[in-house]
Amino acid sequence: MHPRQEMIRITMRIQIVAWRTMTTIRYLLFIGTWTTFGMGGCSNEETAEAVVALAYESGINVFDLSEAHSGHRAEIQFGRILLRRAWNRSSYVVTTKIYWNTKAEGRGLSRKHIIESVQASLVRLQLSYIDIVMIHKVDPMCPMEEIVRAMNYVISKGWVMYWGTSRWTPVEIMEAYTNCRQFNCVTPIVEQAEYHLFYREKPELYMPELYNKIGVGLMAWSTVTIGMVSSKPEDCGVSFFSRSSYKNKYSSFSWTEDETQSLYKEQEYGWKEKSADDETRKYSDKLRDVCALAERLGCSFGQLAIAWSLKNESVQCLLLGASNIDQLYESLQSLQLIPKLNANIMNEIERILDNKPSRPPMISTLALR
Amino acid sequence: MHPRQEMIRITMRIQIVAWRTMTTIRYLLFIGTWTTFGMGGCSNEETAEAVVALAYESGINVFDLSEAHSGHRAEIQFGRILLRRAWNRSSYVVTTKIYWNTKAEGRGLSRKHIIESVQASLVRLQLSYIDIVMIHKVDPMCPMEEIVRAMNYVISKGWVMYWGTSRWTPVEIMEAYTNCRQFNCVTPIVEQAEYHLFYREKPELYMPELYNKIGVGLMAWSTVTIGMVSSKPEDCGVSFFSRSSYKNKYSSFSWTEDETQSLYKEQEYGWKEKSADDETRKYSDKLRDVCALAERLGCSFGQLAIAWSLKNESVQCLLLGASNIDQLYESLQSLQLIPKLNANIMNEIERILDNKPSRPPMISTLALR
Amino acid sequence: MHPRQEMIRITMRIQIVAWRTMTTIRYLLFIGTWTTFGMGGCSNEETAEAVVALAYESGINVFDLSEAHSGHRAEIQFGRILLRRAWNRSSYVVTTKIYWNTKAEGRGLSRKHIIESVQASLVRLQLSYIDIVMIHKVDPMCPMEEIVRAMNYVISKGWVMYWGTSRWTPVEIMEAYTNCRQFNCVTPIVEQAEYHLFYREKPELYMPELYNKIGVGLMAWSTVTIGMVSSKPEDCGVSFFSRSSYKNKYSSFSWTEDETQSLYKEQEYGWKEKSADDETRKYSDKLRDVCALAERLGCSFGQLAIAWSLKNESVQCLLLGASNIDQLYESLQSLQLIPKLNANIMNEIERILDNKPSRPPMISTLALR
Amino acid sequence: MHPRQEMIRITMRIQIVAWRTMTTIRYLLFIGTWTTFGMGGCSNEETAEAVVALAYESGINVFDLSEAHSGHRAEIQFGRILLRRAWNRSSYVVTTKIYWNTKAEGRGLSRKHIIESVQASLVRLQLSYIDIVMIHKVDPMCPMEEIVRAMNYVISKGWVMYWGTSRWTPVEIMEAYTNCRQFNCVTPIVEQAEYHLFYREKPELYMPELYNKIGVGLMAWSTVTIGMVSSKPEDCGVSFFSRSSYKNKYSSFSWTEDETQSLYKEQEYGWKEKSADDETRKYSDKLRDVCALAERLGCSFGQLAIAWSLKNESVQCLLLGASNIDQLYESLQSLQLIPKLNANIMNEIERILDNKPSRPPMISTLALR
């Protein structure tokens, strides 16, 4: 069965819980980073175009680009692909990000940087507007009012349809929302956040609250879903959680120091990282069990990871990545796995992972007396 | 006497009660759907142009287009007619609609869909702005804030002068209005709604309240006035209320399932539909009597239906439709009938119809004690 | 002495009390109506250009155009003059008006009409923006919110710098201001109103209050200052107040019926018009005395009338009109007269006129007990 | 050591305390006035370009232009330099000012003047947007609402990124901020103010409060830093404070009469100017001691003055000026001096100056009883 058929069926079923504004945008392709474009992914444009075309024809209509990686090559190549394919502009959604750093030119987040970034992306993509622009990380030096007004400006100019965030804490998103309300600006609609079997706290505990209270949906990604690791069970332990390689890639992506990163997780979510060796061993055990389960279900570890993420209804979009057609095809087939993930299987996974996040108990100051 | 003469006389008289912003836009032509353009109506552009020209010369200055039907042919043809005729842009009002569905591309109402729809209509019409854009039905998946801000955006861009609604419930219109006030956006000015001898509740009970409280006028249409049925008395019973044909046409127009439709009416307005046979029989009796009255007045059933609708002062605009000049001429002549509809005749019609809507009595919880 | 010298000197002196936004715009030329352009005024463009050039060189930097009279010829001719002269755009101020009627196309005030009018004026004037657009009379059929938002729109588009009103009552101006505050729109800055020796109530009693409270300045005009009557003392009685000729011209200007006009004055300001004969006789006596005074001062009646108007500090702008250079030169010379109007002379004029307006006494409901 | 190396090091260090929106814009070049462009500065464009290029290559990324001086030559020349150099637009910040006067054309501050000034600057600079536009002095005749709305307009048009003020009192800046909040407009981000060894009150006492409360940073300039005086110790006494030459240059810059100027300082900051001779003598003593200290530190008086200004953390930007490469190079080298300004040296300077500003004690009305 061609994945498209399955896709459409599932899409129909899930639209009831789908994302607020673009109801069927649920499965999307994460391209433009180390997988599809450049950095050891499909390095030539023909392969990239084939992947994009298969995605589009399979019902995927969201394409997420990331200016930071691979120079600006991803946007330029994707723009050329769109030009050649000449699909109806209303049939797909292009999202990109605003990156900033503290080292080079264009340093710091500012109205100037936001506007210049969006204009540059439009030129590279050869589009008259981008559907969603996400700001990658908050700059504590830039007032939230300035960010919010600048995003409202690029929307009011018609350059952008919606705006979102990427790697913001729930508190930062809430602050943005408050500023939008104070200055009558358009509110953000999406947070792009990491979500996988071993990182569940923010997506499962905090994002549903944000979605229900202020309409910010979750666009989830993980190293597995975006194709950074082999999805073959035998390799997964090594490539997914070998901390050093993970850290290197992660930090090149996140523009922060590794130290900050781990500190951050600890402070924000109470998830204390142990020594790398210790962690790797612990994850290895769990991984081995998940891989065994995947084998029983007749799928790869990667496919199980994707299907598991999609079972969570608070994931409005899941980012997929692929460096060639086969990888994408394999990822898409994981959609057929979803119906198989019944309560029993889900419970078994939960038992293996043993990391279901829960809110810390409220501490009553009265009780302390 | 040429209808134009009569038109102007009546136009002059009624301008005191006319619509808030465009005082003399009261009679207008509903084109662009199954009547004037395509779908068994006048299929060639010459006939359409002749109808539009007669309308314009007769004092009609509002032209309502509907993107949904007949592909986008109506907008394209009407744009070409305007180009050829080169009338002063300030002498007419073009209205069109934003449709959405849950099946194909451009699915769901969203900022993206609204903006893309308006831009596409402008291209097809070859106009620099549309006077009124109406949103056809509310999408419960799309936040009202997003709709309201998107409409404000297309207005602030200069693409649209005003916005309105089509087939919204009074509560939905009120919610839109509240959101406009909250976010300092331009409020809607018109609701396009069905209104005829046998569907009176919403237009007669609820629309006047909306007009007086928040300035939303009523643009009324019915299968009779837009020329979907023969206006000859002898056919009217068959073509107007033969449920099956009615339902088919209606549902193709409304983009909803028939079931939803009847359910909706029942829930919202307490008008419970009986079995199709039962209904048809009951209406047939009333229709026979109305047709007899029309004969006595020396006019067709359609003309009487039009004149009756215009007697209601809460109808700020009545949509007329015609697939050829003769049909339009006949409809326009119904204006001469209005003065003849004195209190006696109106009472007689009321007696025949026996469906004057009234608000359900307020139930006092005190009285229940 | 060349009028320019005098002008500059006086301009310097009065700038302390001058108008809020354009401090030296005090003397301006009322062109584009029956005097400078068309309708028995200077009918050829060379004369008009000579008048405009003399005005500009004499320090006049505001040019008021009126779309309503003489077709749209005034705007077209003035646009051509500006193009030929190529003065620095920042060195002059162009004001024009939005007219509406209840008879022809473009009927009624509406967002559509306001935007279309401004765009048409820009085309005729060949300018990229108009400095001030005034709305001539309120349309009770059009909600004030719609007017205020439309004016804010044309300003936000960059087509207009400021907006004002013309022939609005103080209550209407206040309502506009309230709506501006409610919807965060730009407030109007000027009311163009009639002001002369025999019409003093609104300008002297109500306009200073509006200026001080909400910053709406007064741009005053009268039949004398805009050159509709001969400024020679021997003719003034006949031409200024012969009611029939006055009324004809007036009504063609004001787009209202004479009856409405007199009724309006009576209702609004308690100035009851007697029969035309009666009125003319009464005014004739006063006029004869004012003319005698003018003769004593060595100036014409018109010059005295201009100087008298300028003595009133609540007149931020006085509209002058001329159908040829000589008329304008004569009007400009009246500036030299202002220093001669000392307290004694002003008192004598007050004694002659015997029409100093005063607010009706507050009626205390307590006192009535 | 090439100044660039030092620059980058220091820039890195200070970015923690740097300005809110453009974190590393701390050292900038004040060009376009009597130093770099025209008026006895480098009169030919090649020299100007060399200065600008050295500045850019040394890490300076803010260029401040001033329309008022040297005709509009500075903007035109700087625009041509940018065109030739073709640096990345996001790598530098262009700031300019809006001047107004009470004598010539374009008199008074107004929406018209602001918009026309910005448009003219854009044309001269050949840029599509200016980063910061500062309004030079408040016009008491122009309502603050008008200023604030006009600045918001040029920002919303995309012509300007930010706005600021120049020579405004803290109370005026606060009033602007209040108006911005009231009308939901973008708030100003910078005040350009004089700051040097002998003028410390406003920058040291009031600007930090504005920065902390409403985010308005300080862009400081002085006759020394912008290169108006020789930085050689032996000349400094003569050229820096010889009142007559200072006053002449100053007044040509400030567009006000000298009398107003000194009156202003006295009223606003309680700094009473004595007779010119008296003042000069008093300053001469202090200057002599500062010059001696500079000699001990192995730098020029000018370099010490620059380094001293940069030690103050409330100086977010310091304007440097140079009429040739050597001057700029010398100024840049003063950055190496900053680490040497330890607590002892700073205390010694404080002792020499004996003018540390302090807020007047609060007077309690209770204590007076």
Side-chain angles (χ1 to χ4, degrees), chain B residues 64-76:
Chain B
D64 183 50
L65 292 153
S66 296
E67 180 199 332
H69 326 293
S70 62
H72 300 310
R73 195 146 48 100
E75 290 185 337
I76 293 167

Side-chain angles (χ1 to χ4, degrees), chain D residues 180-210:
Chain D
C180 287
R181 286 292 173 239
Q182 185 174 355
F183 305 116
N184 197 17
C185 294
V186 174
T187 56
I189 60 158
V190 65
E191 156 73 10
Q192 194 176 95
E194 197 179 358
Y195 179 49
H196 57 68
L197 294 160
F198 300 97
Y199 185 63
R200 305 172 56 181
E201 195 142 6
K202 183 182 165 189
E204 294 189 12
L205 284 190
Y206 301 100
M207 291 311 299
E209 188 180 346
L210 285 179

Side-chain angles (χ1 to χ4, degrees), chain A residues 15 18 20-21 23-24 56 61 88-92 129 131 155-158 161-162 181 184-186, chain B residues 102 105-112 115-116 119 139 141-143 145-146 149 153 157 182-184:
Chain A
Q15 79 194 1
R20 54 200 278 267
T21 50
T23 47
T24 54
Y56 184 84
N61 64 346
N88 188 339
R89 182 67 184 85
S90 65
S91 69
Y92 57 86
Y129 58 86
D131 294 285
I155 288 171
S156 77
K157 277 281 171 182
M161 287 281 175
Y162 302 92
R181 286 290 172 240
N184 197 17
C185 294
V186 173
Chain B
T102 53
E105 275 179 14
R107 61 214 134 214
L109 201 53
S110 67
R111 181 184 181 87
K112 178 177 168 68
I115 292 173
E116 287 171 345
Q119 287 182 318
D139 177 359
M141 297 300 294
C142 181
E145 177 182 353
E146 184 165 336
R149 283 195 188 273
Y153 173 80
K157 277 281 171 183
Q182 185 175 354
F183 304 115
N184 197 17

Side-chain angles (χ1 to χ4, degrees), chain C residues 49 52-57 63 78 81-92, chain D residues 105:
Chain C
E49 181 160 357
V52 169
L54 173 59
Y56 184 84
E57 284 151 19
F63 297 91
F78 187 64
I81 291 171
L82 287 178
L83 215 62
R84 277 195 295 269
R85 293 278 159 172
W87 292 317
N88 189 338
R89 182 65 184 86
S90 65
S91 70
Y92 57 86
Chain D
E105 274 179 14

